[in-house]
Amino acid sequence: MSNNFFTRVAGTIPWTYIVRRTLYCIPVYLGILMLLMLILRVRDPVPAFMGKNASPEEIELKRQEVGLDRPFLIQYASFVGKLSIFNFGEESWQQKGRSVGEIVGGGIGPTLALTVPALTLTTLISVSISLIAAWFRGRMVDRSLVFLAVLGMSISFLVYIIVGQYWLGFAIRSGDFAPFAISGYETIQQAGLWPYLTSKWPYYCLLPVMISVIVSMGYDTRFYRAVMVEESQRDYITTARAKGADERRIMFVHLLKNAMIPVITRVSISIPFLITGSFLLEMYFRIPGVGRALITAVNQADFPVVQTIGAVFAAAYLVTNLLTDVLYAMVDPRVRLT
Amino acid sequence: MIAAFTTQHAQTRLILLASLLFAITGCWSATGEAPDPKDAAGNDGTAEEKVGRFPMRSEGPKTLDPVLGSTVYDNRCCSQIIDTLLQYKYLKRPYELEPQLLTELPVEIETPDDLRKTAFELAEAARANQLAEWEAAKKLAAENGDPPPPEPPEVPDPNPITWKFTLRDDIYFHDADCFPEGKGRKMVASDVFFSWRRMADSTIGSKCWWLMRDSIVGFDEYRDDQLKKIEGKPDAHFDYTADVAGFRIIDDQVFTVTLKKPAARFMWVLAMFQTGVIPHEALEAYGSRFGIRPVGSGPYTLSEGDWQFGLQMILRRNPNYREEYFPEEHMPEDEEVFDLEKAKGKRLPFLDTIYISFFEQDQPMWLHYRALDFDYAQVPDENMPQVFSKRFVDGKKSLVLKPNWRDQGVRYEPVPLLDFIFIGFNMDDKLLGGLGDKATKIRQAISSALDWDERNETFYYGLNVVYDGVIPPLLEGHPENGESDASFRGPNLERARKLLAEAGFPNGEGLPIIDYFVSQGRNNREQSEMLSRQLSAIGIRIRPNLVDFPTLMQTVDDRKAPFFSFAWGSDYPDGENNLALFYGPNESPGSNHFNYKRDEYDRLYEKIVGMPPSPERTEIYIRMQDMLLHDAPYAGSMARTRHYVIHDRMKYFKPVETFANWFKYVDVER
């Protein structure tokens, strides 16, 4: 059965399209990289890094050391060359002894520990709520859900963080009862896989994930509800009803399947941000993720880290776009990729 | 709804969903099985182990390589691991130095004749070089039709002075795998010079050459030689064993350093973490990773993996730490706070392990402190009303802990910082600059119109120290009660209007809008609004330019900012450090951002740099400060205060921001 399943799935994958789009992506990516590198060089990053006591000679030496004295095209070629072989070994300017790969790579785990559960839960809950809202369209349940969604998204992310951290991280504590950490993080390597999953992750990450879900849910629910309502008014729904299909089947089979394209679009737009994380959550909860690394690098004028995270993010965005288009074709046979 | 999940696929999906939710939340117990919130590393000590848990309001240090570090956070972490030759007396105020790695304070000896000769030869060569460069620049300017560059100032003849240092013979580096059999070796004199030569090496990104520049005989020449040797050779490095005339090793424990001229600040520099002593083996073994895996001789060690960037650092007691005991010298008031009898004769350090947690945001740090996770904390601005009541004691506003905090056994310690917060004038500016009567009166008028107390009250709860002059509180030369008769500090609108009229701009009429530069961030926009309003009261209009800090620096360095806001934190507790900000040769892009030039002031400055602390020197400080108060190249001044709250379990903690190696003196009794 599983062989059949994989064969069927593989048969739906538009391989030619993927190859062609990948080839198209290369010049786009090269263009993005050039733009990124140009923007980061508009103002010389070296004096900002070297600080107030540096002499002009010291600034020039640093420029030579990091290769910023070379012609732009050479720098560009060198950076592209390194990226093409996944060489992220360039040393951070601020954290001497640590490579950019080490900084970014070290942050990906903690970031994904927050963003993947948050995105998964947000999507599941939002789609479910929007289905309920669409089911009860125009009635009190629908209006209440929309009201709560608007209310949820009207409150600043920071308020949720500050209030959540205070009440659930601090005020709820009593003796040994401390369900959520005020802040902090432990990696799987430090804790071990099972302790990490069963106690460390919930202790350190569940509260920020809950906050992230609550904040995102408002936006997602409103959007998905609109999609569901629109789909519920289509002809095929009327036809299904005319044929005597069960309302639940109409809702969860016919409607949900056809509403998947906007859902996929919205989810896939979020995927690149899974890597960059939420710097606000990471800063307040002291989770050493990529978002925090990026903000720290920007604040400290850590040029190689900023440049590399920018390049990685651009790549993630392009790949996600490609995957989204492929998924469209797979879930909706009406979509024909040319 | 369940009916919709009756197909086989739907059941599979349901199981998957349930598994996911179970994995995320199902196994987690919320009844105390969560790890000890006091230890994010899950690595708490045993019952016998003494553990300190300290917060740090920053994302943490950037590096622990002393010559690459520059921030207070680099200093605070580095100083626990790597020792300097001198240190501050922990409990003594005003600050005094004492030997740390030395048997005694450096002793002045007669400079050997050959070294004296070398000092003169090098000075002559440097002067000849300088003149040759000037001639070349003059020639180039003439060819381009530009005005000739000014002649370089006369350099006074060298007046060499030699200091003899004797290292303690019981100083060992930490055990580390860079040493044979992992056993730390004894520190010798050559380690000191090895470490200091790295300060000159700009190719590794040294940020502290300014501490040594133009002070030791032959050191500047060593740097120039090395730079020449490696020029155009990307793989070449500084030779840290090459000769420096002023460095002489007598034997493994004894060495001498010859300065070009007497410089009191040199002793302060020897207590700065950038001059910390490290072993060459560690550099050779770890390369640039030394910054995250440092080896020194300090009371604590840092192992690989014990520094989680942005999160925390775990310092562990150095088992080979030399015999050092709790200091007996103290201030009378310390007896009221500490049980010094109990600490007397105790060997340092007290604590076995120290967890330093880093916080970019104040809220989590403060909540952790309130949850007793930390032994002390600095009170964030927004939490001040929660902790303190304001009282007037002897006519001065001060803070008192609220009863509920006192009842919890919390102690409060205010720590004034060695700050000089000011608004500066560019003395090269056509309107505001120069020592002429008109410009001086405009600056004096501006100073008179500004109300620093209002600024302090509005933005700092009235808890900063507003003072006259440039020398912060607690240092020699700071005016009594912070007030000087020579000051033009306001608010005195009547005087301000009068001065402005005398300058030819009655009620500000005819005075162009003044560009004011300040960095973005915190409440600088609001502070600029207040400044604008205060000056508008006498008819002066300003145009605030809020820019990022590097742009502010660049604008000031380029002398394009006529009026700008800055702050200076003293590098060492000596007023000379602040008076240097107005020394002519330090003009932009040096630290004299005001481009203030007055011959008499410069001559006095050159005199004080070689003077040891004395009433005579303090008198000169006051004279110099009076010149500044009259000429008003700045308007000010203000110094911040940090507010520490300390749980009573933390013993012998006397908060200080001037030096950082105090971790070894504190104890925690849980």
Side-chain angles (χ1 to χ4, degrees), chain B residues 555-577:
Chain B
T555 316
V556 172
D557 283 349
D558 293 345
R559 308 181 188 210
K560 289 177 184 164
F563 193 38
F564 55 92
S565 191
F566 255 16
W568 179 267
S570 300
D571 297 306
Y572 42 88
D574 188 337
E576 174 270 320
N577 189 236

Side-chain angles (χ1 to χ4, degrees), chain A residues 43 52 61 91 94 97-98 124 162 165 173 176-177 179 183 186 190 200 202-203 248 284 286 292 300, chain B residues 17 28 30 32 34-35 37 40 59 62 202 288-289 308-311 358-361 363 368 548 551:
Chain A
R43 200 174 60 199
K52 62 178 183 176
L61 269 171
E91 193 177 56
Q94 285 291 0
R98 296 187 82 204
L124 287 173
I162 290 170
Q165 194 168 47
R173 285 180 174 207
D176 283 341
F177 178 75
S183 74
E186 265 182 83
Q190 286 170 324
K200 306 291 181 185
Y203 180 61
R248 289 187 179 87
Y284 271 84
R286 292 195 309 134
R292 195 169 159 201
Q300 297 180 346
Chain B
L17 178 62
W28 163 57
E59 72 271 9
K62 294 168 190 162
S202 44
S288 65
R289 290 186 75 82
Q308 289 173 271
F309 285 84
L311 192 60
F358 308 124
F359 292 88
E360 284 161 283
Q361 297 297 326
Q363 150 139 326
H368 275 292
D548 57 50
T551 308

Side-chain angles (χ1 to χ4, degrees), chain B residues 422-444:
Chain B
F422 60 86
I423 302 176
F425 298 99
N426 174 14
M427 296 292 280
D428 276 354
D429 186 72
K430 280 181 186 162
L431 176 70
L432 301 172
L435 294 174
D437 200 37
K438 186 175 167 181
T440 302
K441 282 191 167 152
I442 299 175
R443 293 193 302 271
Q444 289 171 345

Side-chain angles (χ1 to χ4, degrees), chain B residues 137-429:
Chain B
K138 217 163 59 169
K139 201 174 158 192
L140 189 69
E143 281 169 12
N144 296 336
D146 295 333
E151 188 178 347
E154 280 287 328
V155 180
D157 281 342
N159 176 19
I161 175 171
T162 300
W163 294 97
K164 182 180 152 201
F165 298 77
T166 307
L167 279 176
R168 287 173 62 148
D169 67 354
D170 58 349
I171 310 286
Y172 287 84
F173 288 115
H174 301 153
D175 292 344
D177 55 11
C178 60
F179 297 113
E181 296 171 24
K183 192 81 192 133
R185 69 162 169 82
K186 193 171 176 178
M187 183 185 288
V188 291
S190 60
D191 293 315
V192 178
F193 291 151
F194 168 82
S195 305
W196 290 2
R197 282 189 184 96
R198 294 184 73 238
M199 296 172 75
D201 188 353
S202 44
T203 64
I204 57 168
S206 165
K207 290 186 174 176
C208 52
W209 172 237
W210 62 280
L211 291 173
M212 290 287 182
R213 189 172 51 206
D214 197 26
S215 56
I216 294 169
V217 175
F219 205 8
D220 297 66
E221 288 75 9
Y222 159 82
R223 183 171 183 271
D224 293 343
D225 283 350
Q226 294 299 316
L227 285 172
K228 266 182 211 149
K229 277 181 188 163
I230 62 167
E231 198 174 356
K233 299 175 194 160
D235 296 328
H237 300 288
F238 265 49
D239 176 3
Y240 299 143
T241 58
D243 190 44
V244 173
F247 291 166
R248 289 204 170 165
I249 293 175
I250 310 299
D251 61 37
D252 273 357
Q253 306 312 127
V254 183
F255 58 95
T256 64
V257 175
T258 303
L259 306 183
K260 291 178 185 175
K261 57 189 176 206
R265 82 166 196 154
F266 185 66
M267 293 299 149
W268 297 113
V269 166
L270 298 185
M272 291 174 76
F273 79 104
Q274 292 96 330
T275 61
V277 185
I278 61 167
H280 64 88
E281 292 92 335
L283 252 302
E284 286 151 13
Y286 309 136
S288 65
R289 290 186 75 82
F290 179 83
I292 52 179
R293 205 259 173 267
V295 178
S297 57
Y300 292 98
T301 64
L302 179 75
S303 305
E304 192 93 46
D306 276 350
W307 181 4
Q308 289 173 271
F309 285 84
L311 192 60
Q312 74 168 356
M313 182 180 283
I314 306 169
L315 299 174
R316 298 176 200 281
R317 177 203 283 271
N318 169 16
N320 305 330
Y321 193 60
R322 60 186 171 268
E323 266 188 58
E324 191 176 343
Y325 297 93
F326 193 83
E328 289 187 19
E329 202 173 351
H330 59 269
M331 306 301 289
E333 61 268 23
D334 295 330
E335 287 170 20
E336 294 166 22
V337 183
F338 309 123
D339 184 357
L340 293 173
E341 272 306 306
K342 198 175 169 191
K344 198 173 168 184
K346 291 265 176 72
R347 193 164 169 181
L348 303 177
F350 285 109
L351 299 173
D352 299 298
T353 311
I354 296 173
Y355 294 84
I356 308 173
S357 299
F358 308 124
F359 292 88
E360 284 161 283
Q361 297 297 326
D362 281 338
Q363 150 139 326
M365 188 271 301
W366 185 242
L367 293 180
H368 275 292
Y369 172 74
R370 290 185 60 194
L372 306 180
D373 294 346
F374 295 130
D375 303 314
Y376 76 90
Q378 281 172 22
V379 185
D381 287 350
E382 61 268 28
N383 299 102
M384 298 292 285
Q386 187 186 351
V387 185
F388 300 112
S389 311
K390 285 185 190 173
R391 294 270 191 282
F392 280 89
V393 179
D394 299 330
K396 280 192 172 177
K397 188 178 284 180
S398 60
L399 295 177
V400 180
L401 269 181
K402 286 188 170 171
N404 56 325
W405 287 81
R406 274 205 309 274
D407 295 346
Q408 290 170 34
V410 171
R411 176 163 68 88
Y412 162 54
E413 284 270 357
V415 179
L417 304 189
L418 302 181
D419 264 349
F420 170 42
I421 299 172
F422 60 86
I423 302 176
F425 298 99
N426 174 14
M427 296 292 280
D428 276 354
D429 186 72

Side-chain angles (χ1 to χ4, degrees), chain A residues 1 5 8 43 47-58 61-62 64-65 91 93-99 102 117 120-121 124 128 132 158 161-167 169-170 173 176-187 190 194 197-204 206 209-210 246 248-249 252-253 256 280 282-288 292 295-296 299-300, chain B residues 1-5 7-9 17 20-25 27-42 58-63 68 202-207 209-210 213 223 227 230 288-292 305 308-312 357-368 370-371 373-374 548-551 553-554 557 567-569 589 591 593:
Chain A
M1 180 193 149
F5 173 75
R8 219 171 52 237
R43 200 174 60 199
F49 166 72
M50 294 293 283
K52 62 178 183 176
N53 291 314
S55 67
E57 296 79 40
E58 286 167 338
L61 269 171
K62 179 72 185 173
Q64 286 169 15
E65 182 204 326
E91 193 177 56
W93 285 9
Q94 285 291 0
Q95 297 174 25
K96 278 275 178 189
R98 296 187 82 204
S99 69
E102 218 174 316
T120 311
L121 286 173
L124 287 173
S128 308
I132 295 169
L158 259 181
I161 292 174
I162 290 170
V163 171
Q165 194 168 47
Y166 180 83
W167 287 106
F170 170 71
R173 285 180 174 207
D176 283 341
F177 178 75
F180 304 109
I182 294 170
S183 74
Y185 188 73
E186 265 182 83
T187 61
Q190 286 170 324
W194 188 244
L197 288 174
T198 55
S199 67
K200 306 291 181 185
W201 185 88
Y203 180 61
Y204 291 113
L206 191 53
V209 165
M210 278 162 47
D246 177 64
R248 289 187 179 87
R249 186 173 172 76
F252 292 102
V253 178
L256 189 56
L280 270 180
E282 289 176 6
M283 279 211 300
Y284 271 84
F285 288 96
R286 292 195 309 134
I287 291 169
R292 195 169 159 201
I295 294 299
T296 306
N299 286 338
Q300 297 180 346
Chain B
M1 277 166 79
I2 296 299
F5 290 96
T7 64
Q8 194 184 356
H9 291 303
L17 178 62
L20 177 70
L21 290 173
F22 176 75
I24 291 171
T25 60
C27 314
W28 163 57
S29 162
T31 53
E33 272 186 55
D36 180 358
K38 298 181 181 88
D39 183 1
S58 102
E59 72 271 9
K62 294 168 190 162
T63 175
L68 306 186
S202 44
T203 64
I204 57 168
S206 165
K207 290 186 174 176
W209 172 237
W210 62 280
R213 189 172 51 206
R223 183 171 183 271
L227 285 172
I230 62 167
S288 65
R289 290 186 75 82
F290 179 83
I292 52 179
Q308 289 173 271
F309 285 84
L311 192 60
Q312 74 168 356
S357 299
F358 308 124
F359 292 88
E360 284 161 283
Q361 297 297 326
D362 281 338
Q363 150 139 326
M365 188 271 301
W366 185 242
L367 293 180
H368 275 292
R370 290 185 60 194
D373 294 346
F374 295 130
D548 57 50
F549 190 71
T551 308
M553 287 298 299
Q554 196 62 51
D557 283 349
W568 179 267
S591 57
H593 299 295

